[in-house]
Amino acid sequence: RAKQAGRNRCHFFRRDMNEQAVRRLEMEAALREALDRQESGAGDDGAGEAPFELHYQPQVRLKPNCLYRVEALIRWTHPRWGAVSPAEFVPLAEECGLIDRLDSWVLETAVAQLGRWRAAGVPVPGLAVNVSAVRFARGDLPDQVRSVLAANGIPANDLTLEITERLMMSEEAGAHDALDALHALGVTLSIDDFGTGYSSLSYLKRFPVGELKIDRSFVKELDIDAANRPLVRAIIQIGEALGLTVVAEGVEREAQHLMLEAEGCAIGQGYRFARPMPAAALADWLAGEGKHWTECPDEDCISI
Ligand code: C2E
Ligand code: MG
Ligand code: MG
Ligand code: MG
């Protein structure tokens, strides 16, 4: 009987694996096709629906209150599956060798958008873009960043690249050179999801990091589970000690906002302030509901 049960389990397990593998293969093919269409100009001049779109979420300075940057977040709408989460397709793109193309498209599109906002007088002080550790391994990132900034007249200071701790642990010399080259350009390097990756903090002194993003998991229950507060406080203190800007992600409620402010966290991002939104909606938001974030009372605030 045990043998029988074991066989059954194995059978179900294999079928489940199979479904997963099929979904993966389908998604890989769909991603590849979507990238081909995007790169050949889908969405431009009525050339069909674009498969990818960028949404932009405000990051705000908590004291004084003003807009700091906007983070570009990729969105993919599949004709049959609808919206696919980046938490699902970004890791897949990393595994199947498509992330270089995806991240390159995001960088070019987001920086060009910042240029268009500025040309139209929309007060967006800066832009943050997520870049996969895999993208860093290919040596041409600093060159691409330099040329896209120049092409759109954007100062390097206005660009932040959000990277994960995984990159910092990489032994790849090319990735280290890229970090140094980007820093030399004047681009800010930010550690995304800080505190969830690796326990070694030595990379913070070895690499030219300028910013830490406290992971959403610590902020999530900040006002509910007392154990989170000392962790958040400690991260803010690490930032202070090393002269790094600290950004809290996933701020949803006023209570979290007030605690972060009381702990001296400089920047907040989350539904409490604004959701990620398409470029046109962001411009509307800045002119309407979010207008107060563009009116900084502090003359020393260089953000706008
Ligand atoms: P991330 O960079 O840590 O981005 C923050 C995520 O939290 C985003 O999810 C955002 O929509 C979500 N978020 C923001 N505020 C709140 C809040 O108040 N509450 C909650 N519950 N969530 C909030 P999203 O857009 O689904 O992206 C997931 C992840 O996918 C990102 O995490 C990032 O790691 C990756 N990603 C997104 N766009 C790109 C991209 O262009 N390139 C690369 N390489 N990765 C990307
Ligand atoms: Mg990010
Ligand atoms: Mg993050
Ligand atoms: Mg995160």
Side-chain angles (χ1 to χ4, degrees):
R1 261 184 59 204
K3 204 172 165 192
Q4 184 70 38
R7 233 194 341 257
N8 280 340
R9 253 204 313 279
C10 185
H11 174 73
F12 284 119
F13 180 63
R14 279 220 307 267
R15 199 174 67 184
D16 184 50
M17 287 285 289
N18 204 31
E19 271 164 23
Q20 247 178 298
V22 169
R23 162 113 175 141
R24 258 186 69 103
L25 280 174
E26 276 181 359
M27 191 170 282
E28 181 183 335
L31 252 184
R32 210 175 283 279
E33 197 248 344
L35 270 166
D36 289 343
R37 286 211 299 130
Q38 190 81 57
E39 287 167 350
S40 67
D44 307 347
D45 314 318
E49 280 288 293
F52 298 109
E53 187 188 15
L54 293 182
H55 284 194
Y56 299 88
Q57 184 176 37
Q59 301 177 340
V60 299
R61 202 183 286 279
L62 299 179
K63 214 188 237 174
N65 280 186
C66 60
L67 188 64
Y68 175 62
R69 279 181 183 191
V70 297
E71 179 178 3
L73 294 158
I74 193 166
R75 298 290 176 257
W76 179 27
T77 310
H78 184 273
R80 270 186 300 123
W81 305 327
V84 185
S85 166
E88 184 173 14
F89 71 81
V90 166
L92 178 65
E94 287 176 339
E95 285 163 36
C96 63
L98 293 171
I99 195 70
D100 288 347
R101 288 169 66 193
L102 199 73
D103 277 351
S104 294
W105 178 80
V106 171
L107 181 68
E108 304 270 343
T109 306
V111 173
Q113 182 59 61
L114 181 58
R116 278 198 299 276
W117 277 325
R118 292 198 168 167
V122 180
V124 178
L127 173 73
V129 174
N130 295 282
V131 180
S132 160
V134 179
R135 176 71 185 85
F136 267 81
R138 215 179 76 184
D140 63 339
L141 182 63
D143 284 337
Q144 192 197 7
V145 167
R146 196 181 300 114
S147 68
V148 75
L149 289 173
N152 293 283
I154 305 296
N157 269 327
D158 294 349
L159 180 67
T160 300
L161 297 183
E162 298 193 3
I163 55 194
T164 58
E165 288 173 286
R166 180 172 144 210
L167 174 65
M168 299 301 152
M169 295 299 119
S170 143
E171 296 297 321
E172 203 127 4
H176 300 177
D177 293 345
L179 289 171
D180 288 334
L182 288 162
H183 176 68
L185 268 182
V187 169
T188 301
L189 299 168
S190 173
I191 309 296
D192 210 342
D193 305 335
F194 182 75
T196 58
Y198 296 85
S199 53
S200 168
L201 294 178
S202 61
Y203 70 82
L204 289 178
K205 60 174 196 206
R206 281 173 49 218
F207 298 119
V209 171
E211 183 179 291
L212 302 179
K213 289 191 80 176
I214 307 176
D215 189 63
R216 192 164 80 222
S217 59
F218 300 117
V219 177
K220 199 172 164 205
E221 302 202 316
L222 187 58
D223 51 337
I224 295 166
D225 177 358
N228 284 303
R229 189 151 182 173
L231 279 174
V232 165
R233 177 177 301 154
I235 295 174
I236 292 167
Q237 283 168 354
I238 289 174
E240 245 159 44
L242 297 176
L244 311 176
T245 304
V246 176
V247 180
E249 63 175 31
V251 185
E252 295 184 352
R253 294 176 296 277
E254 184 182 22
Q256 294 163 313
H257 173 181
L258 294 178
M259 277 187 187
L260 287 161
E261 199 184 307
E263 294 295 346
C265 183
I267 316 289
Q269 176 178 5
Y271 301 164
R272 157 100 180 129
F273 309 112
R275 292 193 171 247
M277 51 198 139
L282 183 86
D284 290 346
W285 183 81
L286 287 173
E289 198 194 332
K291 189 160 180 32
H292 61 284
W293 293 110
T294 68
E295 293 161 346
C296 184
D298 187 342
E299 281 182 18
D300 295 334
C301 181
I302 47 141
S303 75
I304 295 183

PDB file of all heavy atoms in Angstrom, residues 116-142:
ATOM      1  N   ARG A 116      10.775  63.716 -22.016  1.00  0.00           N
ATOM      2  CA  ARG A 116       9.499  64.279 -22.513  1.00  0.00           C
ATOM      3  C   ARG A 116       8.757  65.048 -21.425  1.00  0.00           C
ATOM      4  O   ARG A 116       8.208  66.117 -21.674  1.00  0.00           O
ATOM      5  CB  ARG A 116       8.604  63.159 -23.070  1.00  0.00           C
ATOM      6  CG  ARG A 116       8.948  62.759 -24.508  1.00  0.00           C
ATOM      7  CD  ARG A 116       7.795  62.001 -25.169  1.00  0.00           C
ATOM      8  NE  ARG A 116       7.484  60.772 -24.464  1.00  0.00           N
ATOM      9  CZ  ARG A 116       8.139  59.618 -24.659  1.00  0.00           C
ATOM     10  NH1 ARG A 116       9.135  59.545 -25.540  1.00  0.00           N
ATOM     11  NH2 ARG A 116       7.802  58.548 -23.977  1.00  0.00           N
ATOM     12  N   TRP A 117       8.746  64.498 -20.199  1.00  0.00           N
ATOM     13  CA  TRP A 117       8.105  65.231 -19.097  1.00  0.00           C
ATOM     14  C   TRP A 117       8.754  66.592 -18.933  1.00  0.00           C
ATOM     15  O   TRP A 117       8.083  67.599 -18.777  1.00  0.00           O
ATOM     16  CB  TRP A 117       8.251  64.450 -17.787  1.00  0.00           C
ATOM     17  CG  TRP A 117       7.225  63.373 -17.579  1.00  0.00           C
ATOM     18  CD1 TRP A 117       5.898  63.393 -17.954  1.00  0.00           C
ATOM     19  CD2 TRP A 117       7.432  62.117 -16.920  1.00  0.00           C
ATOM     20  NE1 TRP A 117       5.294  62.216 -17.562  1.00  0.00           N
ATOM     21  CE2 TRP A 117       6.196  61.422 -16.923  1.00  0.00           C
ATOM     22  CE3 TRP A 117       8.543  61.504 -16.322  1.00  0.00           C
ATOM     23  CZ2 TRP A 117       6.032  60.156 -16.357  1.00  0.00           C
ATOM     24  CZ3 TRP A 117       8.387  60.250 -15.754  1.00  0.00           C
ATOM     25  CH2 TRP A 117       7.147  59.583 -15.777  1.00  0.00           C
ATOM     26  N   ARG A 118      10.076  66.612 -18.959  1.00  0.00           N
ATOM     27  CA  ARG A 118      10.773  67.877 -18.732  1.00  0.00           C
ATOM     28  C   ARG A 118      10.492  68.869 -19.847  1.00  0.00           C
ATOM     29  O   ARG A 118      10.284  70.053 -19.588  1.00  0.00           O
ATOM     30  CB  ARG A 118      12.260  67.618 -18.588  1.00  0.00           C
ATOM     31  CG  ARG A 118      12.476  66.866 -17.300  1.00  0.00           C
ATOM     32  CD  ARG A 118      13.868  66.921 -16.813  1.00  0.00           C
ATOM     33  NE  ARG A 118      13.863  66.418 -15.439  1.00  0.00           N
ATOM     34  CZ  ARG A 118      14.949  66.096 -14.783  1.00  0.00           C
ATOM     35  NH1 ARG A 118      16.127  66.221 -15.351  1.00  0.00           N
ATOM     36  NH2 ARG A 118      14.857  65.667 -13.554  1.00  0.00           N
ATOM     37  N   ALA A 119      10.473  68.362 -21.084  1.00  0.00           N
ATOM     38  CA  ALA A 119      10.186  69.244 -22.220  1.00  0.00           C
ATOM     39  C   ALA A 119       8.789  69.835 -22.083  1.00  0.00           C
ATOM     40  O   ALA A 119       8.529  70.965 -22.509  1.00  0.00           O
ATOM     41  CB  ALA A 119      10.315  68.469 -23.525  1.00  0.00           C
ATOM     42  N   ALA A 120       7.881  69.089 -21.456  1.00  0.00           N
ATOM     43  CA  ALA A 120       6.494  69.547 -21.303  1.00  0.00           C
ATOM     44  C   ALA A 120       6.284  70.284 -19.976  1.00  0.00           C
ATOM     45  O   ALA A 120       5.159  70.649 -19.634  1.00  0.00           O
ATOM     46  CB  ALA A 120       5.546  68.351 -21.394  1.00  0.00           C
ATOM     47  N   GLY A 121       7.350  70.483 -19.218  1.00  0.00           N
ATOM     48  CA  GLY A 121       7.234  71.205 -17.954  1.00  0.00           C
ATOM     49  C   GLY A 121       6.625  70.409 -16.817  1.00  0.00           C
ATOM     50  O   GLY A 121       6.171  70.981 -15.825  1.00  0.00           O
ATOM     51  N   VAL A 122       6.600  69.103 -16.929  1.00  0.00           N
ATOM     52  CA  VAL A 122       6.103  68.260 -15.823  1.00  0.00           C
ATOM     53  C   VAL A 122       7.254  68.077 -14.823  1.00  0.00           C
ATOM     54  O   VAL A 122       8.324  67.593 -15.206  1.00  0.00           O
ATOM     55  CB  VAL A 122       5.614  66.884 -16.345  1.00  0.00           C
ATOM     56  CG1 VAL A 122       5.100  66.021 -15.201  1.00  0.00           C
ATOM     57  CG2 VAL A 122       4.541  67.059 -17.415  1.00  0.00           C
ATOM     58  N   PRO A 123       7.038  68.497 -13.560  1.00  0.00           N
ATOM     59  CA  PRO A 123       8.157  68.552 -12.612  1.00  0.00           C
ATOM     60  C   PRO A 123       8.533  67.204 -11.992  1.00  0.00           C
ATOM     61  O   PRO A 123       8.240  66.927 -10.841  1.00  0.00           O
ATOM     62  CB  PRO A 123       7.649  69.531 -11.541  1.00  0.00           C
ATOM     63  CG  PRO A 123       6.157  69.349 -11.546  1.00  0.00           C
ATOM     64  CD  PRO A 123       5.772  68.984 -12.957  1.00  0.00           C
ATOM     65  N   VAL A 124       9.204  66.366 -12.749  1.00  0.00           N
ATOM     66  CA  VAL A 124       9.688  65.079 -12.232  1.00  0.00           C
ATOM     67  C   VAL A 124      11.182  65.222 -11.935  1.00  0.00           C
ATOM     68  O   VAL A 124      11.988  65.353 -12.852  1.00  0.00           O
ATOM     69  CB  VAL A 124       9.441  63.934 -13.244  1.00  0.00           C
ATOM     70  CG1 VAL A 124       9.993  62.621 -12.717  1.00  0.00           C
ATOM     71  CG2 VAL A 124       7.943  63.801 -13.543  1.00  0.00           C
ATOM     72  N   PRO A 125      11.549  65.225 -10.637  1.00  0.00           N
ATOM     73  CA  PRO A 125      12.928  65.530 -10.270  1.00  0.00           C
ATOM     74  C   PRO A 125      13.935  64.430 -10.581  1.00  0.00           C
ATOM     75  O   PRO A 125      15.133  64.700 -10.711  1.00  0.00           O
ATOM     76  CB  PRO A 125      12.861  65.778  -8.769  1.00  0.00           C
ATOM     77  CG  PRO A 125      11.559  65.243  -8.305  1.00  0.00           C
ATOM     78  CD  PRO A 125      10.660  65.086  -9.473  1.00  0.00           C
ATOM     79  N   GLY A 126      13.493  63.197 -10.685  1.00  0.00           N
ATOM     80  CA  GLY A 126      14.464  62.131 -10.931  1.00  0.00           C
ATOM     81  C   GLY A 126      13.758  60.816 -11.175  1.00  0.00           C
ATOM     82  O   GLY A 126      12.545  60.706 -10.981  1.00  0.00           O
ATOM     83  N   LEU A 127      14.552  59.853 -11.610  1.00  0.00           N
ATOM     84  CA  LEU A 127      14.003  58.585 -12.068  1.00  0.00           C
ATOM     85  C   LEU A 127      14.807  57.436 -11.473  1.00  0.00           C
ATOM     86  O   LEU A 127      16.041  57.494 -11.417  1.00  0.00           O
ATOM     87  CB  LEU A 127      14.130  58.562 -13.603  1.00  0.00           C
ATOM     88  CG  LEU A 127      13.778  57.281 -14.342  1.00  0.00           C
ATOM     89  CD1 LEU A 127      12.259  57.075 -14.334  1.00  0.00           C
ATOM     90  CD2 LEU A 127      14.277  57.360 -15.788  1.00  0.00           C
ATOM     91  N   ALA A 128      14.110  56.391 -11.034  1.00  0.00           N
ATOM     92  CA  ALA A 128      14.781  55.168 -10.585  1.00  0.00           C
ATOM     93  C   ALA A 128      14.360  54.026 -11.499  1.00  0.00           C
ATOM     94  O   ALA A 128      13.181  53.887 -11.832  1.00  0.00           O
ATOM     95  CB  ALA A 128      14.405  54.856  -9.133  1.00  0.00           C
ATOM     96  N   VAL A 129      15.340  53.226 -11.926  1.00  0.00           N
ATOM     97  CA  VAL A 129      15.087  52.112 -12.836  1.00  0.00           C
ATOM     98  C   VAL A 129      15.670  50.851 -12.211  1.00  0.00           C
ATOM     99  O   VAL A 129      16.788  50.867 -11.678  1.00  0.00           O
ATOM    100  CB  VAL A 129      15.734  52.392 -14.216  1.00  0.00           C
ATOM    101  CG1 VAL A 129      15.619  51.188 -15.133  1.00  0.00           C
ATOM    102  CG2 VAL A 129      15.109  53.622 -14.877  1.00  0.00           C
ATOM    103  N   ASN A 130      14.911  49.749 -12.249  1.00  0.00           N
ATOM    104  CA  ASN A 130      15.415  48.462 -11.748  1.00  0.00           C
ATOM    105  C   ASN A 130      16.303  47.817 -12.802  1.00  0.00           C
ATOM    106  O   ASN A 130      15.923  47.761 -13.974  1.00  0.00           O
ATOM    107  CB  ASN A 130      14.247  47.519 -11.452  1.00  0.00           C
ATOM    108  CG  ASN A 130      13.385  48.031 -10.315  1.00  0.00           C
ATOM    109  OD1 ASN A 130      13.742  47.914  -9.145  1.00  0.00           O
ATOM    110  ND2 ASN A 130      12.250  48.634 -10.656  1.00  0.00           N
ATOM    111  N   VAL A 131      17.458  47.347 -12.379  1.00  0.00           N
ATOM    112  CA  VAL A 131      18.332  46.650 -13.319  1.00  0.00           C
ATOM    113  C   VAL A 131      18.736  45.310 -12.708  1.00  0.00           C
ATOM    114  O   VAL A 131      19.230  45.251 -11.582  1.00  0.00           O
ATOM    115  CB  VAL A 131      19.596  47.474 -13.653  1.00  0.00           C
ATOM    116  CG1 VAL A 131      20.477  46.721 -14.636  1.00  0.00           C
ATOM    117  CG2 VAL A 131      19.214  48.831 -14.229  1.00  0.00           C
ATOM    118  N   SER A 132      18.489  44.255 -13.448  1.00  0.00           N
ATOM    119  CA  SER A 132      18.824  42.919 -12.970  1.00  0.00           C
ATOM    120  C   SER A 132      20.335  42.731 -12.851  1.00  0.00           C
ATOM    121  O   SER A 132      21.108  43.276 -13.638  1.00  0.00           O
ATOM    122  CB  SER A 132      18.254  41.903 -13.955  1.00  0.00           C
ATOM    123  OG  SER A 132      18.904  40.675 -13.804  1.00  0.00           O
ATOM    124  N   ALA A 133      20.736  41.930 -11.868  1.00  0.00           N
ATOM    125  CA  ALA A 133      22.155  41.596 -11.713  1.00  0.00           C
ATOM    126  C   ALA A 133      22.702  40.948 -12.983  1.00  0.00           C
ATOM    127  O   ALA A 133      23.863  41.142 -13.341  1.00  0.00           O
ATOM    128  CB  ALA A 133      22.339  40.653 -10.526  1.00  0.00           C
ATOM    129  N   VAL A 134      21.843  40.220 -13.674  1.00  0.00           N
ATOM    130  CA  VAL A 134      22.263  39.542 -14.904  1.00  0.00           C
ATOM    131  C   VAL A 134      22.688  40.571 -15.960  1.00  0.00           C
ATOM    132  O   VAL A 134      23.652  40.375 -16.695  1.00  0.00           O
ATOM    133  CB  VAL A 134      21.116  38.652 -15.445  1.00  0.00           C
ATOM    134  CG1 VAL A 134      21.526  37.962 -16.738  1.00  0.00           C
ATOM    135  CG2 VAL A 134      20.712  37.616 -14.406  1.00  0.00           C
ATOM    136  N   ARG A 135      21.969  41.697 -16.004  1.00  0.00           N
ATOM    137  CA  ARG A 135      22.271  42.752 -16.977  1.00  0.00           C
ATOM    138  C   ARG A 135      23.670  43.334 -16.741  1.00  0.00           C
ATOM    139  O   ARG A 135      24.352  43.751 -17.674  1.00  0.00           O
ATOM    140  CB  ARG A 135      21.201  43.846 -16.877  1.00  0.00           C
ATOM    141  CG  ARG A 135      21.419  45.083 -17.768  1.00  0.00           C
ATOM    142  CD  ARG A 135      21.186  44.770 -19.232  1.00  0.00           C
ATOM    143  NE  ARG A 135      21.511  45.895 -20.090  1.00  0.00           N
ATOM    144  CZ  ARG A 135      22.722  46.175 -20.551  1.00  0.00           C
ATOM    145  NH1 ARG A 135      23.740  45.408 -20.212  1.00  0.00           N
ATOM    146  NH2 ARG A 135      22.930  47.209 -21.333  1.00  0.00           N
ATOM    147  N   PHE A 136      24.083  43.369 -15.485  1.00  0.00           N
ATOM    148  CA  PHE A 136      25.392  43.927 -15.145  1.00  0.00           C
ATOM    149  C   PHE A 136      26.539  43.095 -15.677  1.00  0.00           C
ATOM    150  O   PHE A 136      27.624  43.597 -15.925  1.00  0.00           O
ATOM    151  CB  PHE A 136      25.539  44.057 -13.624  1.00  0.00           C
ATOM    152  CG  PHE A 136      25.129  45.396 -13.113  1.00  0.00           C
ATOM    153  CD1 PHE A 136      23.797  45.687 -12.911  1.00  0.00           C
ATOM    154  CD2 PHE A 136      26.077  46.370 -12.861  1.00  0.00           C
ATOM    155  CE1 PHE A 136      23.412  46.928 -12.447  1.00  0.00           C
ATOM    156  CE2 PHE A 136      25.706  47.617 -12.400  1.00  0.00           C
ATOM    157  CZ  PHE A 136      24.365  47.890 -12.197  1.00  0.00           C
ATOM    158  N   ALA A 137      26.287  41.802 -15.815  1.00  0.00           N
ATOM    159  CA  ALA A 137      27.362  40.912 -16.255  1.00  0.00           C
ATOM    160  C   ALA A 137      27.784  41.241 -17.684  1.00  0.00           C
ATOM    161  O   ALA A 137      28.929  41.042 -18.067  1.00  0.00           O
ATOM    162  CB  ALA A 137      26.911  39.462 -16.137  1.00  0.00           C
ATOM    163  N   ARG A 138      26.833  41.754 -18.467  1.00  0.00           N
ATOM    164  CA  ARG A 138      27.197  42.192 -19.818  1.00  0.00           C
ATOM    165  C   ARG A 138      27.819  43.574 -19.667  1.00  0.00           C
ATOM    166  O   ARG A 138      27.211  44.467 -19.092  1.00  0.00           O
ATOM    167  CB  ARG A 138      25.955  42.237 -20.712  1.00  0.00           C
ATOM    168  CG  ARG A 138      26.241  41.844 -22.154  1.00  0.00           C
ATOM    169  CD  ARG A 138      24.987  41.870 -22.977  1.00  0.00           C
ATOM    170  NE  ARG A 138      24.602  43.236 -23.301  1.00  0.00           N
ATOM    171  CZ  ARG A 138      23.488  43.546 -23.963  1.00  0.00           C
ATOM    172  NH1 ARG A 138      22.665  42.610 -24.335  1.00  0.00           N
ATOM    173  NH2 ARG A 138      23.221  44.796 -24.240  1.00  0.00           N
ATOM    174  N   GLY A 139      29.025  43.750 -20.183  1.00  0.00           N
ATOM    175  CA  GLY A 139      29.819  44.931 -19.842  1.00  0.00           C
ATOM    176  C   GLY A 139      29.330  46.275 -20.353  1.00  0.00           C
ATOM    177  O   GLY A 139      29.848  47.305 -19.945  1.00  0.00           O
ATOM    178  N   ASP A 140      28.319  46.303 -21.217  1.00  0.00           N
ATOM    179  CA  ASP A 140      28.018  47.566 -21.902  1.00  0.00           C
ATOM    180  C   ASP A 140      27.010  48.466 -21.187  1.00  0.00           C
ATOM    181  O   ASP A 140      26.589  49.475 -21.732  1.00  0.00           O
ATOM    182  CB  ASP A 140      27.508  47.269 -23.312  1.00  0.00           C
ATOM    183  CG  ASP A 140      26.203  46.481 -23.287  1.00  0.00           C
ATOM    184  OD1 ASP A 140      25.930  45.839 -22.256  1.00  0.00           O
ATOM    185  OD2 ASP A 140      25.453  46.520 -24.273  1.00  0.00           O
ATOM    186  N   LEU A 141      26.627  48.130 -19.949  1.00  0.00           N
ATOM    187  CA  LEU A 141      25.621  48.944 -19.255  1.00  0.00           C
ATOM    188  C   LEU A 141      26.048  50.407 -19.076  1.00  0.00           C
ATOM    189  O   LEU A 141      25.272  51.311 -19.413  1.00  0.00           O
ATOM    190  CB  LEU A 141      25.227  48.297 -17.922  1.00  0.00           C
ATOM    191  CG  LEU A 141      24.147  49.033 -17.128  1.00  0.00           C
ATOM    192  CD1 LEU A 141      22.814  49.077 -17.876  1.00  0.00           C
ATOM    193  CD2 LEU A 141      23.936  48.383 -15.755  1.00  0.00           C
ATOM    194  N   PRO A 142      27.276  50.664 -18.546  1.00  0.00           N
ATOM    195  CA  PRO A 142      27.662  52.077 -18.386  1.00  0.00           C
ATOM    196  C   PRO A 142      27.613  52.856 -19.708  1.00  0.00           C
ATOM    197  O   PRO A 142      27.161  54.005 -19.727  1.00  0.00           O
ATOM    198  CB  PRO A 142      29.093  51.994 -17.847  1.00  0.00           C
ATOM    199  CG  PRO A 142      29.156  50.671 -17.169  1.00  0.00           C
ATOM    200  CD  PRO A 142      28.292  49.752 -17.981  1.00  0.00           C
TER     201      PRO A 142
END
